Amino acid sequence: MPDTPRGGDPAAPARIRLVDVAREAGLSKTTVSAALNGTGRMSDAVREQAREAARRLGYRPNATARLLRAGHARLIGYAVGEFAREPGSYMVSPYFARLTSATATAALQHGYALVLLPARCGPEEWADLPLDAAIVADPLDDDPLVEDFIAARIPLFTDRSVEGRPGTHWVDVDADGAVREVLDHLRAQGARHIAVALPGTATRFHTAVADTYRRWCAEHGAVPGLVTTDGPGDGPAVAAVERLLAAPGNRPDALFVLAEASPPLVLDAIRRAGRSVPDDLLLVCASEDTSAAHTHPPVSTLSLQPALVAEKGIELLLAALESGSREPTGAVVPTRLNIRDSSLPRQGR
Amino acid sequence: MPDTPRGGDPAAPARIRLVDVAREAGLSKTTVSAALNGTGRMSDAVREQAREAARRLGYRPNATARLLRAGHARLIGYAVGEFAREPGSYMVSPYFARLTSATATAALQHGYALVLLPARCGPEEWADLPLDAAIVADPLDDDPLVEDFIAARIPLFTDRSVEGRPGTHWVDVDADGAVREVLDHLRAQGARHIAVALPGTATRFHTAVADTYRRWCAEHGAVPGLVTTDGPGDGPAVAAVERLLAAPGNRPDALFVLAEASPPLVLDAIRRAGRSVPDDLLLVCASEDTSAAHTHPPVSTLSLQPALVAEKGIELLLAALESGSREPTGAVVPTRLNIRDSSLPRQGR
DNA sequence: TTGAAAGCGGTACCAA
DNA sequence: TTGGTACCGCTTTCAA
């Protein structure tokens, strides 16, 4: 009588188990299991008999039980370091939206699924989840999340800050190369005073950007013009751009905006400051926002290629998982500069 | 000798199990389990002895085994119907980004975690995942995903298309109320020819919007001016707006843009068409994009309040899960009209 | 207060 | 070809 409730709500029918199917089919657990999994050798008649019973009863194997046997869950925890924003908000950033979906897609292609974890969660939040590995996107400095996963010996993929620690894998964007490519491009277009707007919350990437920018300026005898935003979001980013253009003295002839802002909004701010792109001000934004291609003029963007980061990271992580190795690995991935009219003076076209 | 490898890679140390801790502590599995879980009654000395052994060995309980005992995994599958886009791309839409993060946050607050599923995946993709429930955001018509979950008797939260089916729960946005609020608002500001831009891929919500729009026009003796986009993304949306403004005859004096486009881009397109907001054209966009508040003038938006949809849905789903009831439930949630300068004629301010 | 043993629901090894 | 049985690692009941 497989429909008899077992525990809990007496109105809910108990879920059909393998034994129930076996009893119904007049076979053993073993045989039914093999029949349904297509393993073992048995007569077609028996196999069909087992399948028919399973179908009749609406049998669905218990995933947890299988996982216990299998010894893994093919589940990867995913969290974002999320500097000073409210939980969950990171999805709203085009960069993190792409990074997250690319990570999920890459993992899924290899048969792993992503479990969304809250930002700054402690071990108690994921201790009950059968995680084979974890990912911390853009961790904070000495992120407790990172330390917890390492302490729990859960294979981890995050940024270069964990380099060399057993069981960890990192992917970093080539900040140095990216900055040089953008600055060289702007200089080649005739720019001599390139100003930079950075997010106020300095991540690893943005710190590296500032360093390279200063170094590049020194190398080219340029004086750095650098401004940081007061916080995340479009408002502070636009304000930073306005400050950059209002500053007396060293009038910039090119802008490299790394603060995450909607490109059309940046363009608007520049126009309101009485400047014109690209005629007397060149513009490059670090952004994954698709609207950049649809402004007038279209805005050149530096893409951090989140999809590449995700794919490389998943590759490193799963290679380690499947080999069982705790040998740390890592890789640097390139950025991509999409040159559009905003950084091409008209005579250059 | 708990460090002895068991199976697989002979170099990898076997994970510490409860028995290992018990042996180390000179206690039984039972006692150690109770000690670590804070259950049972025992002397503080013994409890500390067990904890110390666990700490020394770096013991971490096997989550899968606990789940098997517990009978649930507190895991919820999450998929998006995703009309004709490439997998994973939905995150890029501000609406889905917010819906996804709000859903994850709401679930997490109740002790459940979200598992990201690929779009249009079959049962084989999630059969091995211990899902207690599933969510299909914005399902297609007769979405196979929805049917699969229902067939598997997995409690499901999706839109109203499943209304009344056992084990399902729906939340829909009040499309009728939303449209009337926007149209009434625009009419109150003096608009008499309100044109509408809809996405080409008609979802349940957008079909309802078109219906209400036509009905409202009939009620107010207005002639409907409706255009749909050629596809997703900013380009087609901007093109649709341009078509609307270029159309001969019935020159619109207000625009209600439901196609998902960056608000500043819509504003740009209107300017390029020689119209001026709000002086001779009022504008409302259905959008979750924060850039709307930072344009000049700021753009009025209709928010579909994804956070509300997520919270209500999780509430209904978890209520059913915890009571074990398969009684279908559902709810309609309101939208929110953020009135900004783009829909307020200057004399009205 | 502590511990042995019986499950949770499958899978896999062997013996029949 | 089929089935008995041990086992995955933990929790819980119940007896000592």
Side-chain angles (χ1 to χ4, degrees):
Chain A
M1 191 163 159
D3 269 346
T4 300
R6 291 173 305 113
D9 185 343
R15 188 164 154 175
I16 306 298
R17 297 155 306 166
L18 193 59
V19 268
D20 300 321
V21 179
R23 200 176 306 127
E24 170 83 8
L27 295 166
S28 76
K29 275 171 48 164
T30 311
T31 308
V32 174
S33 171
L36 298 181
N37 289 323
T39 58
R41 288 184 304 274
M42 66 191 62
S43 68
D44 285 357
V46 169
R47 174 151 283 157
E48 195 40 54
Q49 182 183 345
R51 290 197 167 140
E52 173 53 29
R55 202 173 307 126
R56 197 161 51 236
L57 262 33
Y59 168 73
R60 282 183 315 113
N62 178 311
T64 309
R66 310 180 87 166
L67 296 183
L68 180 58
R69 276 284 345 171
H72 61 247
R74 302 209 182 285
L75 237 35
I76 301 176
Y78 180 88
V80 172
E82 249 198 300
F83 32 94
R85 305 196 195 179
E86 69 271 30
S89 69
Y90 62 84
M91 295 279 197
V92 174
S93 140
Y95 174 77
F96 283 114
R98 288 197 135 78
L99 183 66
T100 304
S101 68
T103 306
T105 303
L108 256 0
Q109 270 165 0
H110 296 269
Y112 286 73
L114 240 49
V115 180
L116 255 27
L117 264 23
R120 23 176 165 297
C121 63
E124 59 287 350
E125 317 244 27
W126 46 259
D128 282 333
L129 296 171
L131 303 182
D132 291 344
I135 298 175
V136 178
D138 233 356
L140 309 167
D141 286 342
D142 303 312
D143 201 317
L145 217 46
V146 166
E147 296 307 322
D148 289 340
F149 283 123
I150 292 178
R153 299 178 65 86
I154 293 181
L156 178 68
F157 156 41
T158 182
D159 76 9
R160 197 163 191 168
S161 58
V162 297
E163 185 169 11
R165 302 176 70 175
T168 68
H169 309 274
W170 60 267
V171 171
D172 251 18
V173 158
D174 179 14
D176 190 75
V179 172
R180 290 184 180 276
E181 184 177 6
V182 170
L183 297 179
D184 287 344
H185 160 66
L186 289 172
R187 187 177 164 87
Q189 304 307 314
R192 287 300 173 269
H193 302 289
I194 307 172
V196 165
L198 281 171
T201 52
T203 63
R204 207 181 153 71
F205 173 76
H206 293 114
T207 307
V209 166
D211 286 352
T212 299
Y213 172 58
R214 292 211 182 79
R215 209 169 311 120
W216 186 92
C217 285
E219 290 163 14
H220 292 80
V223 355
L226 206 152
V227 78
T228 59
T229 65
D230 292 332
D234 285 318
V238 165
V241 169
E242 285 166 350
R243 249 178 297 140
L244 222 34
L245 296 179
N250 237 320
R251 181 182 161 103
D253 53 12
L255 243 50
F256 181 20
V257 179
L258 286 121
E260 210 165 24
S262 167
L265 246 33
V266 172
L267 218 44
D268 270 1
I270 293 172
R271 279 204 198 101
R272 285 198 312 280
R275 308 292 300 267
S276 150
V277 174
D279 300 307
D280 77 344
L281 186 73
L282 302 180
L283 175 67
V284 174
C285 291
S287 174
E288 312 303 323
D289 198 321
T290 54
S291 66
H294 299 280
T295 52
H296 292 256
V299 173
S300 299
T301 54
L302 175 75
S303 168
L304 271 29
Q305 308 214 90
L308 229 50
V309 174
E311 281 156 23
K312 190 67 196 171
I314 289 289
E315 185 190 308
L316 295 177
L317 186 59
L318 297 194
L321 269 188
E322 317 227 300
S323 74
S325 159
R326 292 186 54 78
E327 192 63 35
T329 57
V332 170
V333 298
T335 56
R336 183 183 157 72
L337 178 57
N338 301 299
I339 298 177
R340 304 204 180 90
D341 290 353
S342 75
S343 62
L344 294 174
R346 298 207 196 276
Q347 67 272 24
R349 303 220 286 271
Chain B
M1 193 160 158
D3 270 344
T4 300
R6 292 173 305 112
D9 185 345
R15 188 166 154 173
I16 306 297
R17 296 156 306 166
L18 193 59
V19 267
D20 300 320
V21 179
R23 199 175 308 126
E24 169 85 7
L27 296 166
S28 76
K29 278 172 37 164
T30 312
T31 308
V32 174
S33 171
L36 298 181
N37 290 323
T39 58
R41 287 185 305 274
M42 64 191 64
S43 67
D44 284 357
V46 168
R47 174 151 283 154
E48 195 41 51
Q49 181 183 347
R51 288 197 170 142
E52 174 51 30
R55 204 173 307 126
R56 198 161 49 237
L57 262 34
Y59 169 72
R60 284 183 314 113
N62 178 310
T64 310
R66 311 180 87 166
L67 295 182
L68 180 57
R69 286 273 356 177
H72 61 248
R74 302 210 183 285
L75 238 33
I76 301 177
Y78 180 87
V80 171
E82 249 199 302
F83 32 94
R85 304 195 197 179
E86 69 271 32
S89 68
Y90 61 83
M91 294 281 197
V92 174
S93 139
Y95 175 77
F96 282 115
R98 288 198 134 77
L99 184 66
T100 304
S101 68
T103 307
T105 302
L108 254 2
Q109 269 165 1
H110 296 268
Y112 286 73
L114 240 48
V115 179
L116 256 26
L117 263 23
R120 25 178 162 297
C121 63
E124 59 288 349
E125 316 243 28
W126 45 262
D128 282 333
L129 296 172
L131 303 181
D132 292 344
I135 298 175
V136 178
D138 232 356
L140 308 166
D141 287 342
D142 303 313
D143 201 317
L145 217 45
V146 166
E147 295 307 321
D148 288 339
F149 284 122
I150 292 178
R153 301 177 65 86
I154 292 182
L156 179 68
F157 156 41
T158 182
D159 76 9
R160 197 165 191 165
S161 59
V162 296
E163 184 169 13
R165 302 175 72 176
T168 68
H169 310 275
W170 60 266
V171 172
D172 253 16
V173 157
D174 179 15
D176 190 76
V179 172
R180 290 183 181 278
E181 184 177 7
V182 170
L183 298 178
D184 288 344
H185 161 65
L186 290 172
R187 187 177 164 86
Q189 305 306 315
R192 287 300 173 270
H193 301 291
I194 307 172
V196 165
L198 280 171
T201 51
T203 63
R204 207 182 153 70
F205 172 75
H206 293 114
T207 307
V209 166
D211 287 352
T212 299
Y213 172 59
R214 292 212 183 77
R215 209 168 312 119
W216 186 92
C217 284
E219 290 163 14
H220 292 79
V223 355
L226 206 152
V227 79
T228 59
T229 65
D230 292 332
D234 285 318
V238 165
V241 169
E242 285 166 351
R243 248 178 296 141
L244 222 34
L245 296 179
N250 237 320
R251 181 183 160 99
D253 53 14
L255 242 51
F256 181 21
V257 179
L258 286 121
E260 209 167 23
S262 168
L265 247 31
V266 172
L267 217 45
D268 269 1
I270 293 172
R271 280 203 198 102
R272 286 198 312 279
R275 308 291 300 270
S276 149
V277 174
D279 302 306
D280 78 344
L281 186 73
L282 302 179
L283 174 67
V284 173
C285 290
S287 174
E288 312 302 324
D289 198 321
T290 54
S291 65
H294 300 280
T295 53
H296 293 255
V299 173
S300 299
T301 53
L302 176 75
S303 168
L304 270 32
Q305 307 214 91
L308 229 50
V309 174
E311 280 156 21
K312 191 67 195 172
I314 288 289
E315 184 189 311
L316 295 177
L317 185 60
L318 296 195
L321 268 188
E322 316 227 299
S323 74
S325 159
R326 293 189 49 81
E327 192 63 36
T329 56
V332 169
V333 297
T335 56
R336 180 180 161 74
L337 179 57
N338 302 298
I339 298 177
R340 304 202 180 92
D341 290 353
S342 75
S343 63
L344 294 175
R346 298 208 196 273
Q347 67 273 22
R349 304 221 283 272

